[in-house]
Amino acid sequence: MRKISPEMTSSQFLDLDSDWNDVLAPGTGGKSGQSSGKGRLRGHFDGASRGNPGEAGAGAVLFDGRGTPVWECARPLGKKTNNEAEYLALLLLLEELERRGVPADIRGDSRLVVNQVTGRWKINEPRLRELADRAMELLRSTKSSLSWVPREENSAADRLSNIALDGPKEGERGASPRERPAFDPDRLERVHDTILIAHGTEDYAVDLLHRACTCPAFQRSRQCKHLDAALVRFGK
């Protein structure tokens, strides 16, 4: 049974692309084990807490080999310490990689998290041990790497952790769920009057009658690119 990280069940604000179709096909080091010119995915994570402990948020982002964001997430965490928020941001990213079956080179500006998870520093606090153990397990299973970067090189994840706390600023990229990349309507197959199949790396069912989709993005935000494309092509 898939393990769930502690208190990671609150809703996501952002999900740029629910199937990563162009990134994962053909082979980017994912399930096929092949490499491509697109290069290996690069991930960044960051956590923030106001009060330490206080209201906290986690941010994570994945870039393709060209440096284009293919997935990003901002998640409120409730009352946490800053260290807990950093750990939960890393787990948010690693669990997405596990779900996709792909590796990434992960970077963060928390020396404590990076050095503890990579075994350079001891873990003295029991509440962090469970989080570190889960992170180590996921790093091994996804064949990902983890390294430290200065804060200025982690700005994308920092922005997302602040969005998790405050919501997106007016006019900021990611402020609207509909800013995700468009889905090609030609990849929709009509199997019933109101039911379509959206073909990609994973196939999803789109229900026009109830305006719903089985993809992860819709389950999180009640909107997704597959439903948007279906409504445009087949009418509202």
Side-chain angles (χ1 to χ4, degrees), residues 128-148:
L128 299 182
R129 166 57 68 181
E130 180 183 0
L131 301 176
D133 287 346
R134 176 62 174 150
M136 293 174 195
E137 175 188 346
L138 287 168
L139 276 173
R140 288 191 296 268
S141 66
T142 61
K143 296 181 173 60
S144 295
S145 66
L146 177 63
S147 59
W148 178 84

Side-chain angles (χ1 to χ4, degrees), residues 62 93-104 106 142 144:
L62 280 163
L93 179 54
L94 284 168
E95 289 181 349
E96 183 68 13
L97 292 172
E98 181 190 43
R99 188 171 74 85
R100 299 290 181 177
V102 293
I106 300 173
T142 61
S144 295

Side-chain angles (χ1 to χ4, degrees), residues 184-202:
D184 184 355
D186 290 339
R187 288 156 56 193
L188 292 166
E189 177 188 0
R190 196 162 198 165
V191 295
H192 185 269
D193 288 346
T194 60
I195 301 296
L196 309 165
I197 300 298
H199 293 290
T201 304
E202 298 179 32

